[in-house]
């Protein structure tokens, strides 16, 4: 279950003025996250959100002009920290702050970090996955964050591994694509598609790393 205190910390940058959330905004956003995750954006109504938040519907529109603005206010800070829900500036700094010695160590740090974040924010992950295909604004925000914050640091780490003879000589864009698709597939399956299966998380992380390593590690 999502820790709403952490959720508020994630969402506490929702206005153009970058001001703190009011208590009513916290209620509205919590209710919106729950309902969007349960029903999807298109099938949800602001009246339902208002009822669950225990506020008047007009209160929502005082803070957010439209239902789309409410969605964007939820997803944008989350994507900035998770970017489909995978990368973030603070995460990139942590993962890439030291030159990697081995591909396995880089993958383990990356995967464990995002695993914990996904576990704490599964409803937000569900919203991003559900809505990304239908909202160009979300796609553009994801692309901006990824290309500006993540890709250069990721590529630099891969180049260092190649320089040490620890990585196959194929384009970095292809390597990053394979890593991202594998890790996101793991997280979406674990927390969205089949969260109630009897997972052994430590083993699953090891299996995922082994799967990536088999195709990328230079023998």
């Amino acid at each position: 279950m999502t820790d709403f205190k952490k959720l508020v910390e994630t969402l506490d940058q929702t206005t153009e003025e970058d001001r703190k959330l009011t208590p009513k905004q916290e209620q509205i956003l919590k209710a919106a996250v729950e309902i969007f995750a349960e029903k999807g954006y298109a099938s949800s109504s602001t009246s339902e959100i208002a009822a669950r938040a225990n506020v008047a519907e007009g209160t929502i529109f005082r803070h957010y002009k439209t239902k789309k603005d409410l969605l964007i206010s939820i997803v944008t800070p989350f994507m900035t920290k998770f970017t489909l829900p995978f990368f973030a500036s603070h995460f990139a700094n942590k993962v890439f702050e030291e030159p990697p010695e081995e591909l396995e160590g880089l993958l383990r740090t990356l995967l464990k970090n995002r695993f914990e974040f996904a576990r704490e924010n599964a409803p937000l992950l569900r919203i991003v996955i559900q809505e990304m295909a239908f909202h160009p604004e979300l796609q553009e925000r994801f692309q901006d964050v990824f290309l500006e914050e993540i890709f250069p640091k990721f590529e630099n780490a891969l180049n260092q591994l190649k320089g040490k003879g620890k990585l196959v000589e194929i384009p970095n864009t292809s390597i990053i694509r394979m890593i991202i698709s594998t890790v996101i597939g793991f997280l979406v399956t674990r927390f969205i598609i089949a969260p109630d299966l009897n997972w052994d998380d430590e083993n699953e992380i090891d299996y995922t790393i082994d799967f990536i390593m088999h195709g990328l590690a230079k023998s």
Side-chain angles (χ1 to χ4, degrees):
M1 181 177 294
T2 296
D3 182 333
F4 189 63
K5 182 178 179 181
K6 292 180 179 178
L7 172 62
V8 169
E9 291 174 357
T10 302
L11 298 175
D12 201 8
Q13 301 153 6
T14 57
T15 65
E16 293 180 359
E17 296 82 9
D18 195 29
R19 61 185 174 80
K20 296 293 183 181
L21 295 174
T22 66
K24 286 192 181 297
Q25 279 179 295
E26 289 187 11
Q27 293 170 236
I28 292 167
L29 290 173
K30 180 176 184 293
V33 167
E34 292 172 351
I35 292 175
F36 287 162
E38 291 167 8
K39 303 181 64 175
Y41 171 82
S43 299
S44 303
S45 69
T46 52
S47 60
E48 291 176 292
I49 294 169
R52 187 170 299 192
N54 197 29
V55 300
E57 189 173 9
T59 302
I60 294 178
F61 293 115
R62 281 200 294 274
H63 292 289
Y64 309 98
K65 295 178 182 178
T66 65
K67 188 174 73 165
K68 173 65 75 67
D69 286 342
L70 179 56
L71 174 68
I72 296 296
S73 73
I74 291 169
V75 174
T76 296
F78 181 69
M79 288 175 67
T80 301
K81 290 198 169 190
F82 200 81
T83 58
L84 192 56
F86 185 53
F87 289 120
S89 299
H90 71 284
F91 162 70
N93 291 335
K94 180 176 180 179
V95 172
F96 302 118
E97 65 183 352
E98 296 181 2
E101 294 298 325
E102 301 283 347
L103 177 61
E104 181 177 358
L106 176 64
L107 293 174
R108 191 170 297 278
T109 300
L110 182 157
L111 189 52
K112 284 196 169 185
N113 186 288
R114 294 301 82 186
F115 180 90
E116 291 302 322
F117 196 88
R119 175 158 42 197
E120 293 171 357
N121 295 277
L124 284 170
L125 174 58
R126 181 183 296 276
I127 292 170
V128 171
I129 295 299
Q130 287 173 341
E131 305 304 333
M132 178 69 71
F134 303 106
H135 301 284
E137 305 96 317
L138 303 186
Q139 298 168 24
E140 291 171 6
R141 289 169 191 263
F142 166 70
Q143 291 167 358
D144 290 343
V145 171
F146 180 78
L147 292 175
E148 293 174 11
E149 299 285 351
I150 306 305
F151 188 85
K153 293 178 182 179
F154 208 150
E155 185 169 45
N156 181 59
L158 296 180
N159 284 337
Q160 292 182 60
L161 288 171
K162 286 181 178 179
K164 297 173 183 177
K166 300 294 182 66
L167 201 59
V168 292
E169 291 293 339
I170 62 176
N172 288 336
T173 51
S174 298
I175 295 175
I176 293 171
R177 172 186 60 79
M178 287 184 277
I179 292 174
I180 289 176
S181 60
T182 301
V183 174
I184 289 180
F186 165 51
L187 296 177
V188 170
T189 302
R190 171 62 181 84
F191 294 107
I192 303 300
I193 296 175
D196 298 325
L197 291 183
N198 187 26
W199 297 101
D200 184 328
D201 291 329
E202 288 299 320
N203 279 340
E204 290 299 325
I205 289 172
D206 288 339
Y207 298 152
T208 302
I209 291 170
D210 287 343
F211 176 77
I212 298 171
M213 291 286 298
H214 180 73
L216 297 179
K218 191 172 184 179
S219 58

